[in-house]
């Protein structure tokens, strides 16, 4: 297993997306300077119409997560729409690819401008205390500077684990960043003493063929009873993953397509991913289900549904269960 690389500064670089067809997604043009948090609340607070229900769910979640001492690992997964998640793994809270401030527009709103459908009033200060920020990719739908800049102002020492491709964006903001190449891993410890291991895997190449891939991640629970796999494009290196195992797979299952270009895979590729990792539970994410406008939004086409994915899965992996998350509500993975 490789050693993690810790870094703090680097010049800005630009990048574009490429695949089978022409490059259509914008490059990020600039980073933001660092400014010097403690989260205000220990509960996840959402819009008023859902708060009572969610508060009850989170309270029950927190009563369950001291589970390392009881001998059972517990995963609670809260979907924050888009590519964003809050995971509680036996008390270790991991914030993933957050978009919590403003819209997603890649800096070019006339081309693409998207807002969340359900968690419209969610704010950074509504988060519980988190132990780690996890970044999969360097583009704005994962490494969202409008969110990360104020987050870094609140907590410049927040532990961050990220793809090295995001180094020019994260180094000016955070002081405690660990960059993982595929195959490398790092450990995150919560205040309650629980520890999880996070191992990087190879995700999509969003640039020229010689560029390093973005990251997926395997997250191993404190006692090693459960492993979760996450990669938000359903793009993976089969040779790398065939040596791995994951009880829980979080993946898109509905494809998002442009002419001659696959933005996000799913359907049969998601089934093969679950089969490759011998998954017991598949958590489908709808990362294209946003209120979007602009030229790019007008030509993106979806392919498949969660129901068609379930049908394909039942033929290849009949014992696996599909657990659909509700935005803002903790989804507890049944203990082993």
């Amino acid at each position: 297993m490789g050693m993690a690389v810790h870094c703090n500064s680097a010049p800005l670089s630009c990048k574009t997306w490429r695949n089978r067809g022409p490059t259509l997604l914008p490059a990020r043009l600039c980073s933001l300077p660092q400014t010097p948090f403690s989260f205000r609340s220990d509960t996840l607070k959402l819009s008023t119409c859902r708060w009572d229900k969610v508060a009850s769910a989170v309270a029950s979640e927190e009563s369950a997560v001291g589970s390392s001492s009881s001998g059972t690992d517990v995963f609670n997964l809260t979907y924050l729409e888009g590519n964003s998640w809050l995971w509680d793994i036996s008390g270790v809270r991991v914030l993933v690819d957050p978009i919590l401030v403003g819209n997603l527009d890649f800096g070019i709103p006339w081309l693409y401008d998207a807002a969340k459908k359900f968690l419209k009033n969610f704010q950074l200060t509504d988060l519980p205390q988190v132990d780690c920020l996890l970044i999969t990719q360097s583009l704005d739908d994962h490494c969202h500077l409008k969110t990360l800049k104020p987050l870094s102002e609140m907590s410049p020492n927040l532990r961050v684990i990220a793809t090295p491709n995001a180094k020019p964006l994260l180094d000016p903001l955070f002081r405690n960043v660990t960059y993982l190449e595929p195959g490398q891993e790092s450990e995150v410890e919560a205040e309650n003493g629980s520890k999880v291991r996070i191992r990087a895997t190879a995700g999509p190449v969003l640039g020229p063929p010689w560029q390093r891939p973005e990251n997926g991640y395997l997250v191993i629970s404190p006692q090693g009873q459960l492993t979760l796999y996450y990669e938000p494009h359903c793009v993976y290196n089969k040779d790398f993953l065939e040596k791995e195992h994951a009880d829980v797979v979080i993946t898109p299952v509905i494809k998002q397509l442009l002419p001659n270009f696959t933005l996000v895979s799913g359907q049969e590729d998601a089934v093969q991913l679950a089969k490759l990792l011998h998954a017991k539970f598949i958590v489908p994410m709808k990362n294209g289900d946003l209120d979007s406008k602009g030229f790019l939004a007008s030509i993106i086409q979806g392919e498949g549904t969660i129901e068609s994915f379930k049908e394909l899965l039942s033929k290849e992996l009949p014992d696996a269960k599909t657990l659909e998350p509700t935005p803002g509500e903790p989804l507890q993975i049944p203990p082993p």
Side-chain angles (χ1 to χ4, degrees):
M1 205 64 62
M3 294 288 291
V5 178
H6 298 261
C7 299
N8 294 98
S9 63
L12 176 69
S13 65
C14 296
K15 62 162 55 183
T16 56
W17 280 30
R18 297 178 67 187
N19 197 346
R20 302 191 306 269
T23 298
L24 289 174
L25 282 183
R28 205 141 34 203
L29 300 179
C30 63
S31 183
L32 295 173
Q34 177 176 316
T35 53
F37 146 82
S38 70
F39 287 111
R40 182 167 61 84
S41 170
D42 283 335
T43 52
L44 180 63
K45 296 185 291 184
L46 306 172
S47 57
T48 304
C49 63
R50 327 183 84 186
W51 166 236
D52 290 340
K53 183 176 181 181
V54 174
S56 173
V58 172
S60 128
E61 167 191 341
E62 293 190 348
S63 68
V65 293
S67 52
S68 288
S69 59
S70 67
T72 302
D73 287 333
V74 174
F75 275 48
N76 285 281
L77 313 174
T78 303
Y79 188 38
L80 302 179
E81 295 189 79
N83 296 307
S84 306
W85 292 85
L86 178 65
W87 301 336
D88 193 321
I89 308 150
S90 297
V92 182
R93 292 193 179 104
V94 180
L95 180 64
V96 185
D97 289 352
I99 299 178
L100 302 175
V101 178
N103 285 4
L104 170 65
D105 60 19
F106 299 93
I108 311 178
W110 65 266
L111 183 63
Y112 184 83
D113 188 3
K116 294 184 177 182
K117 289 186 174 180
F118 305 104
L119 308 182
K120 297 178 182 294
N121 299 321
F122 192 93
Q123 301 177 30
L124 277 175
T125 51
D126 294 329
L127 285 169
Q129 181 175 340
V130 299
D131 301 295
C132 180
L133 169 67
L134 187 65
I135 300 294
T136 60
Q137 299 182 15
S138 56
L139 290 175
D140 207 37
D141 52 339
H142 306 274
C143 192
H144 189 242
L145 290 180
K146 285 187 284 190
T147 296
L148 298 183
K149 183 178 184 292
L151 178 60
S152 71
E153 292 170 352
M154 298 165 71
S155 183
N157 294 314
L158 177 63
R159 178 73 190 283
V160 182
I161 294 177
T163 167
N165 293 335
K167 178 176 167 47
L169 303 170
L170 295 175
D171 275 353
L173 299 177
F174 295 97
R175 300 170 184 164
N176 186 14
V177 186
T178 303
Y179 297 104
L180 296 182
E181 299 278 2
Q184 296 179 332
E185 69 175 48
S186 188
E187 188 173 72
V188 176
E189 182 173 2
E191 289 185 359
N192 68 359
S194 291
K195 299 178 182 178
V196 300
R197 287 186 294 127
I198 297 178
R199 184 184 310 148
T201 64
V205 175
L206 304 181
W210 56 84
Q211 183 170 297
R212 68 161 60 88
E214 305 289 339
N215 282 357
Y217 294 102
L218 289 158
V219 181
I220 300 98
S221 64
Q223 300 185 76
Q225 296 174 345
L226 289 170
T227 297
L228 176 148
Y229 173 81
Y230 176 66
E231 196 289 312
H233 282 216
C234 194
V235 176
Y236 49 90
N237 184 312
K238 182 177 179 181
D239 292 337
F240 187 97
L241 287 184
E242 66 184 2
K243 304 184 287 290
E244 303 290 351
H245 166 269
D247 304 279
V248 184
V249 169
I250 300 178
T251 183
V253 301
I254 299 170
K255 293 184 179 182
Q256 297 173 53
L257 307 173
L258 288 169
N260 300 313
F261 185 90
T262 300
L263 286 175
V264 175
S265 193
Q267 294 295 290
E268 66 279 357
D269 291 327
V271 170
Q272 292 307 311
L273 171 64
K275 188 175 179 181
L276 184 65
L277 291 169
H278 307 284
K280 299 174 184 175
F281 304 102
I282 294 87
V283 180
M285 54 187 288
K286 298 180 179 180
N287 50 359
D289 190 21
L290 300 168
D291 284 329
S292 58
K293 59 185 178 181
F295 174 73
L296 192 62
S298 71
I299 61 173
I300 295 175
Q301 298 293 322
E303 181 180 294
T305 64
I306 290 180
E307 291 305 316
S308 62
F309 165 77
K310 288 180 180 179
E311 291 179 13
L312 292 169
L313 183 69
S314 66
K315 298 173 184 177
E316 296 285 343
L317 209 59
D319 294 332
K321 294 181 173 59
T322 302
L323 304 177
E324 296 183 46
T326 299
E329 299 184 14
L331 172 67
Q332 185 172 110
I333 303 301

